[in-house]
Amino acid sequence: MNVKMAAHTAVLSMSKILNPFWGGRLGNTVKVFGTTLTNHRNKTGNSRDDIPPPAKYGGRHTVTLIPGDGIGPELLNHVREVFRFSCVPVDFEVVHVNSALETEDDINDAITAIRRNGVALKGNIETNHTMAPSVKSRNNLLRTTLDLYANVMHCQSLPGVQTRHKNIDIMIIRENTEGEYSSLEHESVSGVVESLKIITKVNSLRIAEYAFQLAREKGRKRVTAVHKANIMKLGDGLFLQCCREVASGYPDITFDSMIVDNTTMQLVSKPQQFDVMVMPNLYGNVVSNVCAGLVGGPGLVPGANYGRDYAVFETATRNTGKSIAQRNIANPTAMLLAGCMMLDHLKLYDYATLIRNAILTTMNETRLHTADIGGQGTTSDVVQSIMRIIHSTGPLTSAL
């Protein structure tokens, strides 16, 4: 009874912290930084009715884990540590991808593992721009090969983190498979390079439909399409036309559009005006990084890549963090929250809530912060605090 009361008190405490920031907008939500914000018992995490991969081996899920480069390996080790401590029924199949190799054998092995397991958690794989032009980004190959067409980032202000702007609550939907990331470029004559930006009606309609369906599921009121159709009249013009076409089927949701350069200015001036944003690939990369900076930096925001058949979770801004690797100072929050999003996708909601609330309590009540958000705590300090809170509130954990 005491354990149940403690857990109940912890949840109530977190709800008191979060309510002023989200009010009634998210209904009966008790989870933060998940792509499903309403009733997790009835909906999946990618705004579709897709069924997540079935649990295997006595109710346990197997997930592909790609450590990546920079701070990825150490942060994913901490995720495994927290999952193991919390008795999460997930087993990881670790697949290493060597970004220094020009062959694609490693990334093909990773793709095969994801096809086998259906879900992955990954660190960012470095893309060295000094390598031969024929060497494609491993991250990009993974997303295009598995058709992970929707990159989703939920950017929220967190109490306890000092930032210039407050009350930010933006969902960014980025087309993930084409645009400037199509890897189609050539030198037509010496000194003249053509890099092709591919925009297709099929994929533009698909990402627009995803954004509007997600907005409706989450009770959002506005979708903003970000574009540069004033200059790229055919390419971005097609994307904008597709967004308008889809918007006509959602009369309950307000639709507007904004040119990408004005968007970045508006974000740093008054980010509260945005609700759901949908955009092509490159603009999504820029806007995601701006929004992460607005709420405290890349160490706080998780991200997800969804396709029809597979889902891959990672930090939202896809940084390798090489400059701070192996120094025990990286913020583990974004990667741990990406793990919680993955648990929501697998319908392991109780475990996701347990870990997520412990992360937020460490940040907001214990006020144990890493250096990137003004604190003096180490990565290990933050993780140990999270596990102590899990131990005090979670009846399914082992001893610390």
Side-chain angles (χ1 to χ4, degrees):
M1 179 64 71
N2 289 336
V3 172
K4 290 181 179 178
M5 289 180 64
H8 181 65
T9 302
V11 172
L12 285 177
S13 175
M14 287 307 304
S15 66
K16 289 177 181 178
I17 294 171
L18 298 175
N19 277 343
F21 288 82
W22 288 280
R25 181 175 184 176
L26 302 185
N28 60 350
T29 297
V30 294
K31 297 177 176 66
V32 190
F33 282 122
T35 54
T36 298
L37 302 180
T38 51
N39 189 340
H40 287 275
R41 301 295 176 183
N42 300 323
K43 294 181 180 177
T44 58
N46 62 349
S47 88
R48 296 275 187 260
D49 293 326
D50 299 337
I51 299 173
K56 303 174 183 178
Y57 314 118
R60 298 184 67 83
H61 294 267
T62 302
V63 169
T64 302
L65 186 140
I66 305 171
D69 295 307
I71 59 177
E74 59 193 275
L75 294 185
L76 285 168
N77 279 337
H78 286 303
V79 172
R80 297 175 74 182
E81 182 183 10
V82 171
F83 276 28
R84 192 163 48 241
F85 180 77
S86 306
C87 302
V88 175
V90 165
D91 299 310
F92 289 106
E93 178 186 3
V94 181
V95 181
H96 294 280
V97 177
N98 187 343
S99 60
L101 298 179
E102 294 195 2
T103 63
E104 296 178 0
D105 294 343
D106 283 359
I107 192 63
N108 287 336
D109 289 343
I111 290 168
T112 299
I114 297 171
R115 283 181 169 143
R116 179 168 54 246
N117 299 320
V119 179
L121 184 64
K122 69 180 283 288
N124 196 48
I125 304 165
E126 183 180 16
T127 301
N128 190 337
H129 68 277
T130 63
M131 299 179 77
S134 59
V135 179
K136 297 181 179 179
S137 162
R138 297 323 191 222
N139 304 289
N140 199 33
L141 270 175
L142 189 148
R143 294 192 288 268
T144 54
T145 304
L146 296 174
D147 196 26
L148 301 170
Y149 66 90
N151 176 245
V152 180
M153 169 185 172
H154 190 184
C155 190
Q156 298 170 284
S157 296
L158 288 172
V161 179
Q162 295 299 315
T163 56
R164 180 180 297 273
H165 296 286
K166 304 298 182 184
N167 303 321
I168 298 172
D169 185 6
I170 306 170
M171 297 200 75
I172 299 169
I173 315 300
R174 168 187 177 185
E175 205 293 319
N176 219 16
T177 61
E178 57 180 23
E180 295 84 354
Y181 287 66
S182 300
S183 300
L184 297 172
E185 54 183 5
H186 59 274
E187 189 174 34
S188 52
V189 297
S190 180
V192 178
V193 173
E194 293 181 309
S195 183
L196 303 181
K197 170 178 176 174
I198 307 300
I199 299 289
T200 64
K201 183 174 183 179
V202 169
N203 287 340
S204 297
L205 288 172
R206 180 171 66 167
I207 197 66
E209 181 68 33
Y210 187 99
F212 276 91
Q213 187 173 341
L214 191 67
R216 178 175 282 175
E217 282 189 5
K218 309 309 178 229
R220 300 287 181 140
K221 302 302 182 185
R222 179 183 297 273
V223 172
T224 302
V226 179
H227 65 94
K228 192 64 177 175
N230 58 323
I231 301 299
M232 287 169 273
K233 299 185 189 318
L234 292 178
D236 280 21
L238 175 60
F239 179 83
L240 185 56
Q241 175 189 333
C242 291
C243 289
R244 286 173 175 154
E245 181 179 332
V246 172
S248 66
Y250 292 82
D252 52 315
I253 298 173
T254 301
F255 172 71
D256 61 5
S257 61
M258 189 175 290
I259 295 173
V260 61
D261 36 330
N262 184 35
T263 301
T264 56
M265 183 187 70
Q266 294 295 329
L267 277 169
V268 300
S269 302
K270 190 180 177 184
Q272 298 83 1
Q273 68 185 285
F274 295 103
D275 192 355
V276 176
M277 306 174 75
V278 60
M279 61 206 74
N281 210 333
L282 180 61
Y283 309 153
N285 188 10
V286 174
V287 169
S288 294
N289 279 267
V290 171
C291 285
L294 290 173
V295 298
L300 295 176
V301 190
N305 306 279
Y306 295 113
R308 189 191 68 178
D309 302 311
Y310 312 106
V312 175
F313 301 86
E314 60 186 341
T315 58
T317 58
R318 301 169 176 171
N319 303 86
T320 57
K322 286 184 67 176
S323 63
I324 58 172
Q326 299 180 344
R327 293 172 57 189
N328 198 28
I329 61 174
N331 193 332
T333 303
M335 192 67 82
L336 286 167
L337 288 172
C340 292
M341 291 176 71
M342 183 192 74
L343 294 179
D344 284 333
H345 178 73
L346 295 172
K347 298 189 176 182
L348 298 172
Y349 306 120
D350 292 337
Y351 292 99
T353 300
L354 179 70
I355 296 170
R356 186 180 284 116
N357 283 349
I359 294 167
L360 295 173
T361 299
T362 293
M363 186 180 301
N364 305 327
E365 295 182 6
T366 309
R367 295 297 178 100
L368 181 57
H369 294 167
T370 46
D372 59 309
I373 52 174
Q376 297 180 334
T378 65
T379 310
S380 299
D381 290 338
V382 173
V383 172
Q384 290 297 314
S385 174
I386 290 168
M387 291 196 295
R388 278 192 293 269
I389 293 166
I390 290 172
H391 184 253
S392 69
T393 61
L396 300 178
T397 60
S398 56
L400 180 63

